[in-house]
Amino acid sequence: MTPTLLKIVFIAVAVFIIYKLIFSGKKGLTIFEMHFKEGRLDSHKGKIPEKFAKECRAIAKSNKLTCTVRAEKLNGVRLHISANVSDGIAQRIRNVFPFEYYDKKQVDNSKKVS
């Protein structure tokens, strides 16, 4: 009975590991997330650049958007906008996003010898 139980546990662990490797796609660090409901900012998380927040609110208000706007950092910054937003409005939101704000190289001053 014990060898059979050991085999079942081993197979279950192997299936779990394979499942995690296949279906746990890379997800970056979430910088911020904004939730709009009928043109109003319902909730937000993270540090949102002030100018982007202001312009994004204006776009959402003028179009009565119900959506989520999220920025993730994985190698670079990527902006995710809900699928229920039209391509034109999504492009307007991307155009006002300050990608250059996040592309700055961080200089490590601790390793410099003077």
Side-chain angles (χ1 to χ4, degrees):
M1 180 90 178
T2 306
T4 307
L5 188 60
L6 217 58
K7 289 177 185 176
I8 291 172
V9 169
F10 178 74
I11 291 172
V13 169
V15 168
F16 177 75
I17 291 172
I18 291 170
Y19 174 80
K20 281 296 195 182
L21 289 173
I22 293 173
F23 294 109
S24 67
K26 285 186 175 179
K27 193 171 182 186
L29 172 72
T30 301
I31 299 171
F32 67 81
E33 195 168 306
M34 302 167 64
H35 297 274
F36 291 98
K37 189 171 186 179
E38 295 184 19
R40 296 185 56 134
L41 184 63
D42 192 37
S43 65
H44 62 88
K45 261 193 280 192
K47 185 176 180 190
I48 306 167
E50 191 173 322
K51 185 178 177 187
F52 174 71
K54 183 179 176 184
E55 292 178 9
C56 197
R57 280 181 175 170
I59 292 169
K61 186 176 182 181
S62 66
N63 295 295
K64 297 287 186 195
L65 292 181
T66 299
C67 67
T68 300
V69 177
R70 183 178 71 238
E72 288 184 351
K73 187 169 189 155
L74 179 66
N75 297 333
V77 176
R78 186 170 179 159
L79 194 63
H80 297 278
I81 303 169
S82 297
N84 61 343
V85 177
S86 71
D87 291 338
I89 296 172
Q91 187 60 48
R92 284 178 55 199
I93 293 171
R94 282 189 180 88
N95 288 345
V96 298
F97 185 72
F99 286 102
E100 64 278 354
Y101 176 77
Y102 296 102
D103 290 339
K104 293 179 184 173
K105 299 287 183 187
Q106 296 293 331
V107 177
D108 189 10
N109 292 327
S110 64
K111 294 183 179 180
K112 289 186 177 179
V113 177
S114 46

